[in-house]
Amino acid sequence: MRVLVIGGGGREHAIIKSLKKNNRITKIFAASGNGGISLDAECVPIKAVDIEAMTEFAVKNAVDYVVVAPDDPLAIGMVDVLEEKGIRCFGPKKAAARIESSKVFAKNLMRKYGIPTAAYKTFNDPKEAESYVKTDGISFPLVIKADGLAFGKGVIIAENIEETLSAITEIMTEKKFGESGNNIVIEEFLQGPEVSVLSFTDGKTLVPMVSSMDHKRIYDGNKGPNTGGMGVIAPNPHYTKEIAAICEKTIFLPTLNAMREEGWPFKGCLYFGLMLTKKGPVVIEYNCRFGDPETQAVLRLLETDLLEIMEAVTDEKLDSMNIRWKEDHAACVVLASGGYPASYKTGFKIDGIKEAEKKGAVVYHAGTQYRDSSFFTTGGRVLGVTATAPELGDALEKAYNAAEAISFESVHYRKDIGKY
Ligand code: AMP
Ligand code: GLY
C-alpha cells in the first residue's frame, strides 16, 4: 500500500512514525515533509494547499491512501477532489471542515443543537459590532474571534472597550487575517482548565483518544504570547472519568449527530478544544484535524494500529474497531527557535538528537532540514521531544533529560510543561 501524508510538522512526523509500524505499507510519501520526515518517508516538494499538483502526484504515483493532516488543505476541499479521483483519504470533506474553518458555522451549530459553548453574537458589519460592544451592561473581558482560519492567531481577549474596538478594527476593517475577518464572533470570556480531546470518527461512531493538555504560551508560568503549542502532557489530569462521561453525552455525540443531521457527516479526526468551567465542560473550539503538538504525545499511547483505524474511518466501519491505549503517560517538550512566535533566525545546526533518543525519547521534527548528514533549523517550532512512562513525573523527567542533550543556537523551551 502506498500512502501520502500531507503536511510537514511534528504532527505529521508522529503520524508517519505510527503508520510505519504497519507492514502493509510499502511506501510513504510526505508533501512536503521536513528534515526528520525525510529519513522516514520520501518528501515531495508540493505545497499542502496545491490541490491540482497534489492530485496529479497521487494519481501518477499510484497512491492508495492520503492522510490530509493540516487545516488549510481540508478547508479548501483537498479530500473532495482526491476522492473524486478515486483516491481514499483520511480527513473531512470541505463542508464538514467548516467546523474549524468557520467559527460562525461552529457556533451556530452548537446553538442549534444545544451543545454547551460560550454565549456569543456574530457580526458581518464593524459598525454593528462596535455599537453592540458599547451597549450598557456589557462586561469585560470579551473574546473577539475572526471567523476563518488565522494561523491560530485569530482570537483576541480584550480587557476593556478600547481593546475591543481596536480588535474589531484590526480584524474587520484592516483585515489583519485577510478574508478570515469578514465575519467575527464576539463571545463571553470563560475560565477553567483547558483540555484537548482528539477523536476518531467515521460520521456514525466516535471514539475519543486519550485526552491531553497543550501549553500555548511561549514562556513558563503561561506567560507571553500564544504559540502553536509549546508542550503537551497526556492524559490531561483535569479530565476525570466523570467529566469524560459528561463530555461524551453533552458534547461529543451531539456534535457527531448534528453534523450528520445537517448533511455533512464528519469523517476524520475531530478535535474538541474544551474548557472545564464551574458550570461544566464547554466547547472553546473545534478543529477538523489532529492537534499539533497534541498528536505527538497522544499517538505515543496508541496501541492499536493507526492505519487500521484510519481505514475503518474511511470505510465507515469504526464500530468494528476495538481501539486500545497504553496505561502510560506521555510528555512532549517543544524546542523552538529563540524569538518565536515573533521573528527568529533559522539555518542553525542541531546537535544531540541521537543522544536524546538514546535517553529513551522520540524526537519528532517540526522545523528542520537534513543536509550533509546533519539537521538544521528551518522554523519556529523545531523539535518535539516526547517520552512515555507509567508515571507522569517520570515521562516529564525523561523528556527533559533528552531535551537537555539537544542544542542549537538560541534554542528556547519551557521548563514547566505538566506543572499545572
Ligand atoms: P482558539 O484559537 O479558538 O484555540 O483560541 C485560543 C485560546 O484562546 C484558547 O485556547 C483559549 O485559551 C482562549 N479562548 C478562546 N475562547 C475563549 C473564551 N470564550 N474564554 C476564554 N478564553 C478563550
Ligand atoms: N495545539 C492546538 C492546535 O493544534 O490547534
Side-chain angles (χ1 to χ4, degrees):
M1 186 164 174
R2 294 160 70 80
V3 178
L4 164 64
V5 176
I6 299 180
R11 164 184 57 202
E12 288 76 11
H13 200 190
I15 290 172
I16 287 169
K17 278 206 185 286
S18 289
L19 289 175
K20 273 185 79 176
K21 293 182 197 157
N22 183 300
N23 55 24
R24 282 195 294 125
I25 297 183
T26 50
K27 178 84 188 172
I28 303 182
F29 296 104
S32 48
N34 62 41
I37 291 176
S38 73
L39 303 192
D40 288 305
E42 183 179 328
C43 294
V44 287
I46 302 173
K47 285 207 179 77
V49 289
D50 190 341
I51 296 187
E52 210 182 303
M54 199 69 78
T55 314
E56 196 185 313
F57 175 85
V59 172
K60 263 198 189 145
N61 289 276
V63 169
D64 302 292
Y65 195 73
V66 182
V67 178
V68 188
D71 49 10
D72 36 2
L74 292 167
I76 58 174
M78 180 69 82
V79 169
D80 306 54
V81 178
L82 285 165
E83 285 186 350
E84 275 164 27
K85 299 274 176 205
I87 299 170
R88 298 162 74 228
C89 293
F90 182 84
K93 289 190 174 177
K94 183 177 177 174
R98 279 182 300 168
I99 202 162
E100 173 170 4
S101 66
S102 169
K103 290 196 194 293
V104 173
F105 171 89
K107 296 294 288 192
N108 290 344
L109 186 87
M110 287 188 269
R111 177 180 282 163
K112 182 168 172 188
Y113 289 88
I115 298 163
T117 188
Y120 73 101
K121 271 186 173 300
T122 64
F123 298 92
N124 58 17
D125 176 355
K127 290 273 167 299
E128 277 174 29
E130 282 163 15
S131 61
Y132 167 70
V133 300
K134 286 179 187 160
T135 324
D136 285 347
I138 290 275
S139 58
F140 295 93
L142 274 178
V143 185
I144 326 297
K145 300 184 170 182
D147 177 42
L149 299 179
F151 310 105
K153 292 185 183 131
V155 175
I156 297 172
I157 296 174
E159 300 291 340
N160 50 47
I161 185 72
E162 290 75 28
E163 286 182 20
T164 308
L165 292 172
S166 67
I168 294 170
T169 306
E170 273 177 24
I171 299 177
M172 298 192 87
T173 314
E174 293 167 4
K175 297 266 188 261
K176 192 174 170 189
F177 309 111
E179 302 297 301
S180 289
N182 290 351
N183 294 283
I184 57 166
V185 173
I186 299 186
E187 68 179 33
E188 149 195 39
F189 176 78
L190 296 174
Q191 279 173 296
E194 289 186 54
V195 182
S196 307
V197 179
L198 285 58
S199 69
F200 293 110
T201 169
D202 63 359
K204 297 185 284 194
T205 304
L206 183 144
V207 184
M209 302 184 210
V210 168
S211 64
S212 53
M213 181 195 280
D214 193 4
H215 295 66
K216 286 203 162 87
R217 304 296 191 103
I218 186 74
Y219 300 124
D220 285 13
N222 289 331
K223 302 233 162 59
N226 264 331
T227 69
M230 292 300 293
V232 178
I233 54 166
N236 185 317
H238 297 285
Y239 192 70
T240 60
K241 279 207 170 74
E242 292 70 32
I243 292 173
I246 295 171
C247 291
E248 188 114 2
K249 198 166 146 227
T250 63
I251 295 173
F252 304 161
L253 295 179
T255 303
L256 174 76
N257 294 336
M259 291 297 278
R260 203 177 47 233
E261 254 171 64
E262 292 290 310
W264 25 78
F266 189 100
K267 287 170 68 171
C269 172
L270 181 53
Y271 167 131
F272 298 89
L274 307 172
M275 191 177 270
L276 309 181
T277 72
K278 288 211 174 81
K279 290 188 193 156
V282 303
V283 176
I284 288 290
E285 62 159 349
Y286 292 114
N287 290 326
C288 66
R289 51 168 176 88
F290 285 96
D292 194 7
E294 286 93 332
T295 305
Q296 301 180 47
V298 169
L299 286 187
R300 296 278 288 130
L301 301 176
L302 179 64
E303 248 175 27
T304 308
D305 183 88
L306 180 61
L307 179 71
E308 303 284 331
I309 302 172
M310 287 183 158
E311 289 194 287
V313 166
T314 306
D315 299 339
E316 298 176 22
K317 288 183 180 152
L318 194 57
D319 59 343
S320 67
M321 292 289 303
N322 173 23
I323 300 177
R324 293 177 319 276
W325 297 91
K326 296 190 180 104
E327 291 291 322
D328 284 359
H329 293 256
C332 168
V333 177
V334 171
L335 273 53
S337 297
Y340 171 78
S343 65
Y344 53 84
K345 288 193 180 137
T346 58
F348 299 121
K349 185 164 178 288
I350 307 168
D351 290 306
I353 293 180
K354 280 217 171 78
E355 288 71 16
E357 284 171 338
K358 276 190 202 132
K359 289 172 184 258
V362 174
V363 180
Y364 295 120
H365 291 237
T368 71
Q369 185 190 40
Y370 187 65
R371 65 181 140 91
D372 309 326
S373 309
S374 296
F375 291 107
F376 295 85
T377 63
T378 58
R381 289 189 293 174
V382 177
L383 299 167
V385 180
T386 308
T388 61
E391 299 296 332
L392 174 62
D394 295 335
L396 284 163
E397 200 180 312
K398 218 160 142 185
Y400 273 114
N401 264 332
E404 277 163 25
I406 298 176
S407 59
F408 55 87
E409 191 165 318
S410 312
V411 56
H412 165 74
Y413 57 94
R414 279 182 60 163
K415 310 291 185 301
D416 65 345
I417 301 302
K419 298 281 187 299
Y420 292 91

